[in-house]
Amino acid sequence: MRKIEYVISHEVDGCDILTYLHRIQGYSSRVIKSLKRAPDGILKNGQHARTIDRVKEGDLLSVTIYDQPKPACLSTRQVEILYEDDDLLVYNKPWDMPCHQAKYHQQDTLANVFAAHCAKQGTPLTCRVVNRLDKDTSGAVIIAKTPYAADHIAGTVEKKYLAIVQGTPHPLRGEINAPIGRYNQRDIVRGVMENGQEAITQYWTYCANESFSAIYCSLPTGRTHQIRVHMSFIGHPLLGDRLYGGREELIKRQALHCYQVKFLHPVKREFVEITAPVPFDMKKLLDQCEKILKTTGDNGKKTSDNV
C-alpha cells in the first residue's frame, strides 16, 4: 500500500479530480480505475471522493494505491541496494542473475531477491523492473514499487554503461546509428539489418592498451543487446561476449555494466542520479587498462572522469 497526498494549489482550483490525477499528476487510466474500486482510494479532506468531484485551493487530496502481487519464491541471496524509498528501489545486479523468472529459471532471480526483501519488511509487492538488464550484464536496475511509479518513470531513465571491448575504436568518440533486428523469432541473436528498429549508441573511449579498451556508452534508443550488437558490428565486440564474437579468456561474461542511472522521481519530482560500483571482474581489467595508457578525446581532453 502506498499513500500519496497533494495540496491543491491556486492554479488548479476548480479542476475535477479525474483531470487533476490523469493530466496533471500523470496517473494512468488503469491506476485511476483501481483507485475508484478501493474505499479509501481517493479521499478529499479525509472523505471519500469521486473522480467527477472538483477540488479547490487548499484541499488535501490523497490517493492510496494497493498492490496484489503473485506469490513468488524467496531468494536467500543478498544483492546490494543502492537506493530505496516508498516508490522505488535500485539494486546493483550481479552479472550471473536474471531480472525476471523464466520457464527454466524460477529461483535466485532479482525478482526473487525483491520478493524476499518485501517479505522481510512485511509489505509484499509486485516486482516491476524499469530497466531490465541481460542475465550476464551487471549494474543498476530500478524496480518500481507501485503501478503509478512504473507508469511515470517508464521510458524516461537515462542510463550510462561501461563496456570493455576488443581493440580500440576509431574514432575514440563516436555514434553508431544502425538498425537492429532479429534473424528469426526462435533465436535470441540480433544483428544490424536494413529492416530492423532504429538503434543509436553513443560511445567515448576512456582507456586502452594493445588488446582492449574501456568505453562509456549512452543509448538514445534501447534495443535488446544494443551495445553488444553495435560494438561487434564495428569490429570491437565486448570481451567475454560469446554470442557476438568476443574473446573469453579474460572474463567469463560479456564485459558490460550499467554504472549510472538518472531519472525524475515520480513523486518527489526531483532528479535522482545513482552510480553502481564496478564489479571485481571488470575492475580488474579496467585497472590493467589504465596502467598502460590514458586516452584523450578528439579535442585533446580526457574523454571521461574515472568510474
Side-chain angles (χ1 to χ4, degrees):
M1 182 185 75
R2 172 71 166 110
K3 185 176 182 178
I4 306 174
E5 295 182 335
Y6 304 96
V7 178
I8 302 303
S9 64
H10 171 73
E11 290 77 11
V12 293
D13 188 294
C15 180
D16 64 80
I17 291 176
L18 177 61
T19 300
Y20 179 78
L21 291 178
H22 184 55
R23 296 186 181 178
I24 297 175
Q25 295 299 338
Y27 285 77
S28 68
S29 299
R30 174 175 54 85
V31 173
I32 292 174
K33 286 180 181 179
S34 69
L35 294 175
K36 291 167 66 176
R37 289 194 293 265
D40 58 347
I42 304 174
L43 301 178
K44 184 178 73 170
N45 300 323
Q47 301 297 317
H48 173 74
R50 303 167 299 170
T51 55
I52 61 173
D53 294 340
R54 297 187 179 275
V55 293
K56 61 182 180 180
E57 183 180 2
D59 280 346
L60 178 64
L61 186 69
S62 66
V63 299
T64 301
I65 305 170
Y66 290 92
D67 201 1
Q68 294 180 326
K70 296 179 181 179
C73 297
L74 307 184
S75 173
T76 58
R77 189 168 176 183
Q78 300 298 306
V79 176
E80 180 184 12
I81 295 175
L82 302 173
Y83 176 91
E84 184 177 16
D85 62 21
D86 291 334
D87 303 287
L88 303 168
L89 183 148
V90 183
Y91 281 115
N92 187 11
K93 187 184 84 68
W95 69 264
D96 58 347
M97 177 179 284
C99 285
H100 291 294
Q101 294 167 299
K103 183 177 181 180
Y104 299 108
H105 205 128
Q106 292 293 312
Q107 297 182 338
D108 287 336
T109 70
L110 201 62
N112 299 122
V113 172
F114 179 70
H117 176 72
C118 293
K120 186 176 180 180
Q121 294 185 329
T123 55
L125 297 170
T126 299
C127 181
R128 301 175 177 88
V129 175
V130 175
N131 62 312
R132 186 186 66 83
L133 298 181
D134 295 335
K135 171 180 173 289
D136 289 342
T137 297
S138 57
V141 174
I142 305 169
I143 294 177
K145 294 184 175 182
T146 69
Y148 170 71
D151 289 344
H152 217 76
I153 198 175
T156 67
V157 180
E158 296 180 22
K159 298 161 291 224
K160 292 183 179 178
Y161 293 82
L162 171 69
I164 301 179
V165 302
Q166 292 175 201
T168 302
H170 292 287
L172 296 176
R173 179 189 297 263
E175 179 178 286
I176 306 166
N177 188 340
I180 291 175
R182 293 178 76 166
Y183 293 108
N184 66 72
Q185 294 304 310
R186 292 171 295 181
D187 196 339
I188 64 171
V189 179
R190 270 76 173 171
V192 170
M193 55 187 64
E194 188 174 347
N195 62 346
Q197 293 179 298
E198 180 187 25
I200 301 172
T201 300
Q202 297 167 341
Y203 72 89
W204 55 105
T205 307
Y206 172 65
C207 64
N209 62 32
E210 68 276 5
S211 299
F212 56 83
S213 306
I215 65 171
Y216 295 127
C217 298
S218 61
L219 305 177
T221 59
R223 307 303 176 200
T224 301
H225 296 182
Q226 181 172 316
I227 295 173
R228 299 167 65 187
V229 171
H230 272 173
M231 297 314 298
S232 179
F233 175 67
I234 65 170
H236 299 285
L238 274 60
L239 292 187
D241 192 353
R242 178 187 305 177
L243 201 60
Y244 295 103
R247 290 163 39 204
E248 299 180 71
E249 65 269 23
L250 296 177
I251 190 169
K252 295 180 180 179
R253 52 96 174 197
Q254 67 254 15
L256 185 61
H257 177 73
C258 181
Y259 80 90
Q260 189 179 88
V261 290
K262 183 178 180 181
F263 53 87
L264 181 65
H265 195 283
V267 176
K268 298 176 182 179
R269 299 300 174 90
E270 59 188 31
F271 280 101
V272 179
E273 184 175 287
I274 298 165
T275 300
V278 179
F280 175 78
D281 58 351
M282 287 185 63
K283 188 66 167 63
K284 183 178 179 181
L285 292 174
L286 192 64
D287 289 343
Q288 294 175 26
C289 185
E290 289 180 319
K291 291 175 182 175
I292 298 172
L293 175 67
K294 289 276 188 177
T295 67
T296 58
D298 296 338
N299 59 4
K301 297 180 180 179
K302 200 171 78 170
T303 57
S304 177
D305 296 328
N306 288 325
V307 174

